[in-house]
Amino acid sequence: EAQVTQNPRYLITVTGKKLTVTCSQNMNHEYMSWYRQDPGLGLRQIYYSMNVEVTDKGDVPEGYKVSRKEKRNFPLILESPSPNQTSLYFCASRIGQNEQYFGPGTRLTVT
Amino acid sequence: AQSVSQHNHHVILSEAASLELGCNYSYGGTVNLFWYVQYPGQHLQLLLKYFSGDPLVKGIKGFEAEFIKSKFSFNLRKPSVQWSDTAEYFCAVQNQKVTFGTGTKLQVIP
């Protein structure tokens, strides 16, 4: 089954403790992206990757890192999480300019 | 920089009523436009998309949208909503980056 998977689905952590949210897709999509969803703000793009080893900032990249060493994986790294990064995070992938396929989401709480 | 505006933040309709959700965008080049739907507790799913050609596009579940280039608009419509259409709807502009609107929550009352 074609899908985008994210892990973990739920995470509660403390300020400053580094964490990684994994994202994997099995559709051989070149393009992958991370978003955060906050009430009243919609989805905002954090980082995107056009292909392996090619990443670029979205609209809200501060406090996040990404890497794209393999085509299927696009992890999101929070080196020193802060409470303002409490949010619902979605990973997505696409091919060309077609529609994006979204993962199930990761709900992160930073205390 | 590209941007997307969705002016209706929360819409409440009775079943069988007609729906129109506004979406306006700003971008200087060729755009690819999308409407996604997010049912409660779920991730976003594609409703419909516009790349070029016929400005009236049809999507799933009876939804359609009209691209009006002169107005920079891509409004979503459905002639008769159902309770199961209760969800949040997002308009998006896509090129290398993707910009979403802030979403419209639709509540359909039986």
Side-chain angles (χ1 to χ4, degrees):
Chain A
E1 180 190 355
Q3 60 182 349
V4 179
T5 58
Q6 295 178 226
N7 283 292
R9 294 289 312 280
Y10 301 91
L11 180 59
I12 301 174
T13 190
V14 296
T15 299
K17 185 176 181 183
K18 180 180 178 179
L19 66 92
T20 299
V21 184
T22 64
C23 173
S24 183
Q25 50 94 5
N26 62 2
M27 296 169 279
N28 203 35
H29 287 172
E30 304 102 348
Y31 186 102
M32 297 185 74
S33 184
W34 276 103
Y35 300 89
R36 60 177 290 173
Q37 183 177 17
D38 302 289
L41 298 177
L43 277 81
R44 294 178 291 168
Q45 194 172 37
I46 301 170
Y47 271 95
Y48 63 95
S49 169
M50 301 288 286
N51 214 323
V52 176
E53 302 291 2
V54 181
T55 63
D56 208 347
K57 297 177 180 178
D59 293 321
V60 288
E62 295 79 18
Y64 304 94
K65 283 176 57 177
V66 293
S67 68
R68 187 92 181 273
K69 292 182 171 33
E70 305 167 279
K71 199 170 187 179
R72 62 183 293 127
N73 296 324
F74 191 45
L76 179 70
I77 302 156
L78 285 71
E79 295 266 4
S80 183
S82 63
N84 64 12
Q85 293 177 297
T86 292
S87 188
L88 178 59
Y89 291 86
F90 288 102
C91 180
S93 72
R94 74 177 199 234
I95 189 162
Q97 285 295 339
N98 287 319
E99 68 270 20
Q100 295 183 94
Y101 291 81
F102 286 84
T106 295
R107 189 167 291 281
L108 172 65
T109 302
V110 184
T111 61
Chain B
Q2 61 197 35
S3 65
V4 178
S5 294
Q6 291 182 243
H7 306 294
N8 315 103
H9 299 296
H10 196 180
V11 173
I12 302 173
L13 294 173
S14 298
E15 273 193 318
S18 64
L19 170 72
E20 180 159 2
L21 301 183
C23 173
N24 288 91
Y25 67 93
S26 68
Y27 181 65
T30 302
V31 293
N32 302 302
L33 296 162
F34 297 80
W35 275 98
Y36 290 90
V37 60
Q38 185 178 34
Y39 297 103
Q42 295 188 25
H43 59 278
L44 274 74
Q45 303 169 49
L46 178 71
L47 265 184
L48 48 79
K49 59 188 176 185
Y50 174 78
F51 292 159
S52 63
D54 189 344
L56 185 63
V57 293
K58 296 192 183 299
I60 61 171
K61 303 185 180 186
F63 286 91
E64 64 179 32
E66 185 175 13
F67 171 62
I68 303 179
K69 188 175 182 180
S70 61
K71 294 185 178 180
F72 297 91
S73 70
F74 189 54
N75 293 353
L76 182 71
R77 300 195 292 248
K78 185 171 184 178
S80 176
V81 296
Q82 300 173 315
W83 176 79
S84 58
D85 293 326
T86 294
E88 192 160 14
Y89 293 81
F90 293 94
C91 181
V93 169
Q94 175 175 298
N95 39 67
Q96 281 194 356
K97 295 177 75 172
V98 184
T99 301
F100 283 86
T102 52
T104 298
K105 286 188 178 177
L106 172 64
Q107 184 179 357
V108 180
I109 302 170

